[in-house]
Amino acid sequence: MSISWSQFGNTIIRNARKKRIPLVAQFELTSRCNLRCKMCYVCNTKNTSEIIKREKTAEEWIDLARQARDAGVLYVLLTGGEVFLRSDFRQIYEAISEMGFSVQIYTNGTLITPEIAKWLGKRPPSKISVTMYGGTPQTYKAITGSEEAYEKVKRGVDLLLAEGILTKVRTTVVKGNC
């Protein structure tokens, strides 16, 4: 007897619900961001030492991931703020991806460099979701406070795609980018 992927997934979800097994975890690694989006609740400056001190360490995130894995979690979303502001993001990502999770990353895309894209291409997440706030530098300035961010995001997406990484572009629709 064969079943479809959809049926297989639904069976896993049904069984997990019955046994109260969590399947998905979302780790907000930082509240820091390099953009100042008008509609965002994450408004912390990127290098505030007080904010960095309040963040969990890489070791703490890795331990939480182990606990999540042992509880049955299959999917982990790494989000923020902007995850690539963390100097230890590579350490966190590599450890979590080695645990066998299906890992997804949310980013604003502005900090994706050729080096980061190549590194991720060697150990790709299941998907990277990049939020794009507008279609022009002017719209980007109005929404995020940074005109340059528009080109940085476009470059970041191109770099990820060049490495064969599944990349989803998302947006938030607000008055300024309609």
Side-chain angles (χ1 to χ4, degrees), residues 28 48-49 51 81 90 94:
E28 186 174 301
T48 304
S49 61
I51 293 168
R90 185 179 292 224
E94 287 181 358

Side-chain angles (χ1 to χ4, degrees), residues 27-30 32 55-59 61-62 76-97 103-107 111-112 116-117 119-120 123-125 127-128 160:
F27 293 173
E28 186 174 301
L29 302 179
T30 184
R32 294 176 289 138
E55 292 178 350
K56 292 189 181 317
T57 65
E59 292 76 20
W61 282 117
I62 293 165
V76 173
L77 169 62
L78 302 177
T79 187
E82 175 49 52
V83 295
F84 290 105
L85 282 174
R86 286 194 63 122
S87 60
D88 57 1
F89 179 72
R90 185 179 292 224
Q91 177 187 357
I92 295 167
Y93 174 78
E94 287 181 358
I96 289 174
S97 67
V103 181
Q104 184 175 348
I105 300 170
Y106 278 9
T107 178
L111 301 177
I112 304 292
I116 288 173
W119 163 67
L120 287 170
R123 180 188 300 246
K127 177 173 40 177
I128 293 186
L160 294 169

Side-chain angles (χ1 to χ4, degrees), residues 106-109 129-133 140 153 168-172:
Y106 278 9
T107 178
N108 66 33
S129 291
V130 177
T131 307
M132 187 143 205
Y133 295 105
Y140 246 80
V153 173
K168 177 181 177 182
V169 176
R170 309 169 339 133
T171 194
T172 300

Side-chain angles (χ1 to χ4, degrees), residues 5-18 21 23 74-75:
W5 277 108
S6 177
Q7 292 169 320
F8 178 71
N10 289 336
T11 300
I12 288 174
I13 292 168
R14 257 192 322 277
N15 288 337
R17 275 193 192 133
K18 283 181 193 173
I21 298 170
L23 295 178
L74 301 175
Y75 306 95

